[in-house]
């Protein structure tokens, strides 16, 4: 099961989206729509990846595409997600922060 929390509060100018669960070809489009809506209004988004438990290549593609056309910050990726980002080298491209606070104040 996948759920999403959306918050527009906090000291940073970017809204926070905190997805939970697994993200693959079936669920990535729902998250992408939520991210696109936030980007359309705010020009970027903070993705709090604390509760992302599984991702596949579609998730990575979504992150890279979002990064290309907006201000994307990824906060607190789980160890599994951080490892995946590292394996594919996208941790060298994306803006990844150890905590939500660090992403908000960057």
């Amino acid at each position: 099961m996948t759920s999403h929390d959306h918050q527009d509060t906090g000291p940073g100018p970017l809204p926070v989206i905190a997805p939970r669960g697994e993200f693959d070809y079936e669920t990535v489009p729902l998250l992408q729509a939520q991210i696109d809506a936030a980007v359309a209004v705010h020009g970027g988004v903070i993705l709090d990846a604390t509760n992302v438990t599984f991702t596949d290549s579609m998730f990575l593609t979504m992150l890279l595409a979002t990064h290309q056309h907006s201000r994307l910050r990824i906060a607190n990726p789980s160890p599994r997600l951080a490892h995946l980002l590292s394996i594919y080298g996208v941790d060298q491209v994306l803006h990844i922060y150890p905590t939500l606070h660090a992403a908000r104040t960057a």
Side-chain angles (χ1 to χ4, degrees):
M1 168 152 326
T2 303
S3 65
H4 312 284
D5 291 338
H6 183 75
Q7 305 172 34
D8 284 313
T9 60
L14 297 178
V16 175
I17 294 176
R20 291 187 175 138
E22 299 182 0
F23 292 90
D24 58 18
Y25 72 96
E26 290 181 0
T27 53
V28 164
L30 301 171
L31 179 59
Q32 181 71 63
Q34 190 177 19
I35 289 172
D36 288 347
V39 167
V41 174
H42 301 281
V45 67
I46 297 172
L47 183 71
D48 182 351
T50 305
N51 295 307
V52 173
T53 58
F54 172 83
T55 63
D56 68 5
S57 61
M58 275 198 65
F59 185 83
L60 295 179
T61 300
M62 176 200 66
L63 292 179
L64 290 168
T66 302
H67 170 77
Q68 295 251 331
H69 73 274
S70 72
R71 294 180 297 150
L72 171 65
R73 298 177 189 163
I74 300 170
N76 198 23
S78 66
R80 175 180 251 172
L81 178 57
H83 181 68
L84 184 66
L85 297 173
S86 175
I87 287 173
Y88 288 100
V90 296
D91 60 335
Q92 302 300 310
V93 176
L94 300 174
H95 302 286
I96 302 171
Y97 300 87
T99 65
L100 182 56
H101 177 74
R104 282 183 165 158
T105 58

